[in-house]
Amino acid sequence: MTARTFKEVCAHSLMRTVAGFVISLAFLMAFGLYLRARPILVTKPLEELLFHTVWNPSQGQFGLANFIISTIWVTAIALIIAVPLSVFTAIYLSEYAPAKIRNIARPVVDLLAGISPVVYGVWGILAIVPIVRDYLMPFFSEHLPFFPFASDNYTGFCTLTAGIVLAVMTFPIIISVTEEVVSRVPFELREASLALGATKWQTIKLTVLKKARPGIIAAIILGVSRAFGETMAVLMVAGCAIQGFPRSIFDPAYPLPALIANTYGEMMSVPLYDAAVLLAAFILLLVTMLCNIAGWGILLRTERRGM
Amino acid sequence: MNTPARPHIMTEHLTVHYGRQRVLQDISLAIPDRQITAIIGPSGCGKTTLLKSFNRLIELQENVRVSGKVLVDGENIFDPQIDVTRLRKKMGLLLQRPQVLPMSIFDNVAYGRRIHGCKNRRLLGEIVEKYLTMAGLWDEVRDRLHGPASQLSIGQQQRLCLARALAVEPEIILCDEPTSALDPASTQHIEQIFMELKKDYTIVIVTHILRQARRLADHVLFLYLGELVEHGPAHRIFDTPQQARTRDYILGIIS
């Protein structure tokens, strides 16, 4: 073996080892979390952990239901706000906007994705909390005092606030993926539709969006995964308190990521406490992983089909 | 054959720029009614641009500038009063590669009628059958009308696109190298359909295949580097071209 081929072999195996290590980290992490969460899984039935609402670690009660519901609430609100806004923005950018605006808007959207979550959290406290506290909450409690608006939480730190902040945080991913899949729809397909006398909006609605639909769904799933796992910003604006089952968008929320960040490392002497929190982490990891796999899977599949 | 038919499409001093590049220069021509007109010329000479200026699809390109006139049935189509969707409805378009819409075979054919407001299911069913039959596709797809159109072969897809174009009842069919992606059998099939259709439709076909132009065309336009070099009845262009460049192209000296 010459020195050159030796170096060749070394370089190859070094990089393979490093890459293998980095990639296997994801699996190691999932496996590690599972191992640490196992003590509670063997002592308590899974349905009790997932569907019971009482969280009282010192009494040995570890119902995660309220946290899970909180997470779903917050994610749902974020999506209800983010999906229409970002999909319309993406369609505007790829279909209507002149190249100049598109070239400015694209990097701005990417910039939004790079802002640290803590900044969104601060923005939420300074901008969204007062709006919710002073305008939205009084308005709804006066005019629409029923589910899911009735609440006695007047602080502004609530599910809705967290949802709004999360919505803004999910804009970039939904906009950029949607914009990409929409602009990847072949130009000739638009021509074919327009040549039949369709208007631009008919062409977009009936043909372009239909062709891009799997990609848009993937974009939304990636948005879900972002909203579901986001911790810092939510922690800062959601109120993070449990007053029983969260019934209103103006009640405080306490989503899973916030629970983990807030409690892990404290009160570790309580038996099973650490396993319960790590179970929460494991659930979070599993859901976001599945969302990401589904989202990217759809994107890759549509790409391969030559969309 | 020699009696000049009423022109269906006319251009007067049509000039098209993309940005600073001039793609078509001062084109004045007449396309006769209910005949097949072939636009021939080497690639990049502006054939497609000319074709797409007839239904104003060139406006989709960025930085396009058009001057001169295109008259369809005597109306200037660049007149701001013109409803572009109505203009396009008059003209079916077949592209190089068949572009089936992401929906079923039935919905592809019904698409045009639906966007123009037809909701009657029975009527749509009749339309779909009629035009698939005209495009010679009905027998092959009658059992899977509601299956995805993308699963048809390329040749079938192109006939589906033809049926879809015919279903909006155009008067003109514009084709941009409609057989260049097809195998010989499908090409022959499409050509046969064109020969049938020219009884009722004005057909304009862009082609770089001279034999195809010879087989099909009644009237030929020869474009070279954005200029209309020569146009006239097919036999005259092919047998006794007046211009040296036309002759050279037909003999295969320039391409």
Side-chain angles (χ1 to χ4, degrees):
Chain A
M1 193 187 283
T2 67
R4 268 178 73 194
T5 51
F6 177 71
K7 279 183 190 162
E8 178 76 11
V9 169
C10 281
H12 183 164
S13 51
L14 174 74
M15 285 181 236
R16 188 177 52 200
T17 317
V18 172
F21 172 71
V22 170
I23 292 160
S24 61
L25 267 183
F27 297 98
L28 288 175
M29 234 190 244
F31 187 66
L33 278 179
Y34 172 74
L35 278 188
R36 298 286 301 274
R38 233 177 89 84
I40 199 161
L41 286 170
V42 293
T43 46
K44 306 252 174 198
L46 191 62
E47 66 261 29
E48 186 189 321
L49 294 167
L50 294 184
F51 301 124
H52 277 210
T53 54
V54 182
W55 175 262
N56 196 344
S58 47
Q59 303 295 313
Q61 288 172 307
F62 296 103
L64 288 170
N66 280 336
F67 304 102
I68 294 172
I69 299 283
S70 273
T71 311
I72 294 172
W73 258 118
V74 167
T75 306
I77 292 173
L79 287 182
I80 288 168
I81 299 169
V83 168
L85 294 183
S86 14
V87 169
F88 286 145
T89 306
I91 292 170
Y92 171 74
L93 286 179
S94 72
E95 299 294 306
Y96 292 97
K100 244 191 230 162
I101 292 184
R102 193 162 46 224
N103 292 339
I104 297 169
R106 263 193 201 142
V108 171
V109 169
D110 290 340
L111 205 70
L112 276 180
I115 296 174
S116 162
V118 76
V119 177
Y120 283 104
V122 171
W123 172 73
I125 293 173
L126 293 178
I128 306 301
V129 167
I131 292 175
V132 171
R133 184 186 57 212
D134 301 338
Y135 300 101
L136 292 179
M137 161 77 190
F139 175 83
F140 279 102
S141 53
E142 195 169 315
H143 299 285
L144 302 162
F146 45 77
F147 179 84
F149 305 115
S151 169
D152 52 4
N153 168 28
Y154 291 96
T155 62
F157 290 87
C158 63
T159 313
L160 179 65
T161 313
I164 293 171
V165 173
L166 276 182
V168 177
M169 296 181 73
T170 50
F171 282 166
I173 179 102
I174 304 184
I175 292 176
S176 66
V177 174
T178 304
E179 205 244 20
E180 197 182 322
V181 293
V182 169
S183 56
R184 219 189 291 147
V185 172
F187 181 70
E188 290 80 5
L189 202 62
R190 296 158 217 255
E191 283 190 323
S193 169
L194 290 169
L196 292 166
T199 60
K200 185 160 183 168
W201 171 236
Q202 285 174 325
T203 299
I204 293 171
K205 187 177 63 169
L206 301 172
T207 298
V208 176
L209 289 187
K210 187 146 193 203
K211 186 86 178 172
R213 191 160 63 190
I216 296 173
I217 291 170
I220 294 170
I221 295 174
L222 294 175
V224 169
S225 136
R226 172 103 162 106
F228 203 84
E230 174 48 40
T231 311
M232 196 59 202
V234 171
L235 193 67
M236 292 167 75
V237 298
C240 294
I242 291 195
Q243 310 168 331
F245 198 78
R247 254 176 259 281
S248 162
I249 59 172
F250 296 109
D251 279 349
Y254 205 164
L256 287 172
L259 169 76
I260 300 161
N262 259 351
T263 56
Y264 193 73
E266 292 168 24
M267 299 200 294
M268 281 304 152
S269 54
V270 179
L272 290 179
Y273 192 101
D274 130 285
V277 174
L278 288 170
L279 176 66
F282 183 64
I283 293 170
L284 205 62
L285 181 80
L286 221 56
V287 172
T288 47
M289 234 185 205
L290 286 177
C291 283
N292 279 316
I293 291 171
W296 289 114
I298 294 170
L299 284 181
L300 285 178
R301 210 171 60 122
T302 52
E303 203 169 327
R304 216 173 303 135
R305 276 219 229 98
M307 258 215 16
Chain B
M1 264 309 292
N2 272 328
T3 48
R6 178 176 73 88
H8 203 161
I9 304 174
M10 284 174 74
T11 68
E12 289 172 8
H13 308 295
L14 178 69
T15 299
V16 177
H17 286 83
Y18 291 148
R20 310 192 59 160
Q21 188 197 355
R22 186 163 54 206
V23 191
L24 290 178
Q25 187 183 355
D26 196 23
I27 305 246
S28 296
L29 54 80
I31 287 177
D33 190 20
R34 269 169 270 192
Q35 291 191 6
I36 298 182
T37 300
I39 304 176
I40 60 170
S43 50
C45 67
K47 302 190 295 283
T48 301
T49 303
L50 180 61
L51 190 79
K52 286 183 181 169
S53 49
F54 296 157
N55 65 359
R56 286 177 52 180
L57 271 185
I58 44 164
E59 289 172 5
L60 302 183
Q61 309 289 338
E62 291 198 359
N63 293 324
V64 69
R65 270 186 301 133
V66 181
S67 62
K69 279 186 184 168
V70 175
L71 303 163
V72 175
D73 293 323
E75 274 182 312
N76 181 10
I77 63 165
F78 294 112
D79 188 325
Q81 303 282 310
I82 287 277
D83 174 6
V84 71
T85 58
R86 201 175 54 94
L87 168 76
R88 287 178 183 153
K89 190 169 170 289
K90 257 191 205 178
M91 305 189 196
L93 177 70
L94 277 189
L95 293 161
Q96 257 179 45
R97 291 192 63 82
Q99 294 293 334
V100 299
L101 302 171
M103 48 191 82
S104 70
I105 294 169
F106 185 96
D107 290 341
N108 258 276
V109 184
Y111 184 86
R113 292 305 272 269
R114 283 194 176 128
I115 58 177
H116 294 293
C118 176
K119 292 201 178 78
N120 184 330
R121 296 200 97 193
R122 209 172 51 92
L123 180 63
L124 285 173
E126 287 167 13
I127 288 167
V128 168
E129 175 171 353
K130 177 177 170 193
Y131 291 104
L132 281 174
T133 310
M134 257 170 103
L137 193 59
W138 174 252
D139 291 330
E140 294 161 56
V141 300
R142 61 193 307 169
D143 302 323
R144 46 173 170 151
L145 285 177
H146 296 284
S150 54
Q151 281 174 8
L152 297 172
S153 74
I154 295 288
Q156 289 174 322
Q157 287 188 14
Q158 193 63 302
R159 280 180 280 146
L160 177 65
C161 291
L162 181 61
R164 185 180 67 196
L166 293 173
V168 290
E169 298 182 338
E171 299 158 15
I172 301 167
I173 301 169
L174 306 174
C175 320
D176 187 3
E177 304 190 9
T179 60
S180 63
L182 307 187
D183 60 85
S186 302
T187 301
Q188 202 187 8
H189 201 152
I190 291 266
E191 287 184 4
Q192 276 168 359
I193 298 167
F194 283 162
M195 294 307 278
E196 279 297 306
L197 290 176
K198 75 169 183 177
K199 289 197 269 250
D200 302 305
Y201 299 87
T202 301
I203 300 175
V204 185
I205 174 169
V206 163
T207 181
H208 64 275
I209 310 164
L210 282 172
R211 272 167 301 155
Q212 185 170 52
R214 269 182 209 270
R215 283 194 298 267
L216 295 176
D218 303 304
H219 196 82
V220 172
L221 307 168
F222 173 58
L223 284 188
Y224 190 72
L225 301 178
E227 271 178 69
L228 180 64
V229 176
E230 197 168 353
H231 68 123
H235 61 88
R236 208 200 72 212
I237 299 281
F238 286 121
D239 300 338
T240 52
Q242 310 292 304
Q243 299 281 333
R245 279 179 295 179
T246 316
R247 198 182 57 232
D248 289 351
Y249 181 71
I250 287 166
L251 294 174
I253 297 170
I254 53 172
S255 63

